[in-house]
Amino acid sequence: MSEGNGLSPEEETFQEFLAWMAMGRQIKAKFDAHGFQQPAALSGALGSGHAQASPKFVRISPPARPESPPNAQIDWIWIPANRAMVRTVVLAILNEGKIITIKALINRVKNILPRSSAGTVYNIGAQLTGKIEKGDNGWSLKKGELAPYLHKGNIWAPKELLQNQDLAESRRMAIYHLLGIKTKLQLMEIFRELKDGADWLQSPLSKDLVKDDLKVMEKDNLVRQMGRSKRWARVDDK
């Protein structure tokens, strides 16, 4: 970290680059305003036409979209059900429209999320008061309530119906997808590629969130850091 500003050397250098580009554009505008011929070095540095404040990023194509529920909209998010939050999975099961006994619900949740527990499902039920009906025959989703859908091993929903951790999983999928296209990227490169090239990503995005995601993905043996280069790659990337 650089003293006084909390930035890493890479971040500080990038900020200085942006400031240099901004100053160059101001000088170029003065040459244009007076009709003076621009020095070749200035034109070469800024390029022709409208200069960009930062490098251009090519749009990243989204990951292949699996089969979706019939009613899914084009902007719905999907994540593997076994990576979703317990609350999300419970709601998706109840959204099938049937009354289900608590025992059967717990078994279904545990089949999808083996590390979940009966106590967690009961706690989720308490949190969903007002959204679900509880009776002698079991639980069901209240009529008119909106919830995620479970379809062929994936959870589908508009962004607003997902939990923050579900959205984090969607962002991690995007990082994994990106590293399959552009291998061996540093943290800031991953962040900027997603910010400027992944217009389809609906999850919150910041440098710190990407940093946390990489730690989780490293623990899950999905990505690895390449020695002292501080570049990240997928574990399956040789």
Side-chain angles (χ1 to χ4, degrees):
M1 295 289 182
S2 296
E3 294 182 3
N5 59 17
L7 298 177
S8 69
E10 180 188 8
E11 294 170 310
E12 185 175 34
T13 302
F14 188 73
Q15 292 296 324
E16 291 174 353
F17 166 71
L18 293 181
W20 178 79
M21 288 288 287
M23 180 178 294
R25 291 196 306 275
Q26 292 176 4
I27 295 172
K28 182 178 184 298
K30 290 183 179 180
F31 274 97
D32 292 339
H34 294 292
F36 299 153
Q37 183 176 358
Q38 298 175 26
L42 179 62
S43 299
L46 296 178
S48 58
H50 297 288
Q52 299 292 325
S54 59
K56 273 189 164 185
F57 290 85
V58 177
R59 182 181 185 274
I60 303 164
S61 298
R65 184 179 170 97
E67 181 182 323
S68 62
N71 60 328
Q73 303 299 309
I74 191 64
D75 62 342
W76 280 22
I77 294 174
W78 66 273
I79 59 173
N82 62 3
R83 305 289 295 185
M85 298 296 290
V86 176
R87 175 189 173 104
T88 302
V89 172
V90 167
L91 282 170
I93 292 172
L94 294 177
N95 200 23
E96 293 173 351
K98 303 174 182 177
I99 298 176
I100 183 171
T101 65
I102 182 62
K103 182 179 179 180
L105 178 62
I106 290 171
N107 287 337
R108 285 198 59 187
V109 172
K110 287 182 69 66
N111 283 337
I112 297 170
L113 302 170
R115 294 184 180 180
S116 62
S117 66
T120 301
V121 176
Y122 275 111
N123 289 337
I124 294 297
Q127 297 170 17
L128 294 176
T129 300
K131 290 182 175 292
I132 64 175
E133 298 279 4
K134 297 180 181 179
D136 295 336
N137 295 327
W139 294 1
S140 61
L141 192 67
K142 279 191 174 181
K143 187 176 181 180
E145 282 292 329
L146 300 177
Y149 285 82
L150 177 61
H151 185 75
K152 295 192 173 182
N154 292 309
I155 294 289
W156 292 82
K159 173 182 177 180
E160 294 74 22
L161 297 184
L162 295 175
Q163 305 295 297
N164 287 337
Q165 284 300 315
D166 298 322
L167 296 176
E169 182 58 34
S170 179
R171 186 176 57 247
R172 290 166 196 151
M173 289 170 58
I175 293 172
Y176 189 80
H177 175 65
L178 170 64
L179 289 176
I181 299 172
K182 300 185 177 184
T183 61
K184 303 177 180 64
L185 297 177
Q186 292 185 345
L187 168 62
M188 284 301 294
E189 291 174 322
I190 294 172
F191 167 65
R192 291 197 295 267
E193 289 282 355
L194 292 178
K195 180 176 180 293
D196 296 315
D199 54 4
W200 39 267
L201 180 62
Q202 298 188 58
S203 304
L205 184 64
S206 71
K207 176 183 71 71
D208 289 335
L209 288 173
V210 172
K211 182 178 181 180
D212 291 341
D213 287 336
L214 289 169
K215 290 180 180 178
V216 172
M217 295 170 71
E218 184 178 34
K219 186 176 179 180
D220 290 342
N221 200 35
L222 295 173
V223 299
R224 60 194 172 97
Q225 200 162 18
M226 310 292 290
R228 297 182 179 180
S229 70
K230 296 186 178 180
R231 295 185 181 277
W232 291 87
R234 295 186 352 180
V235 167
D236 59 7
D237 178 21
K238 303 303 182 182

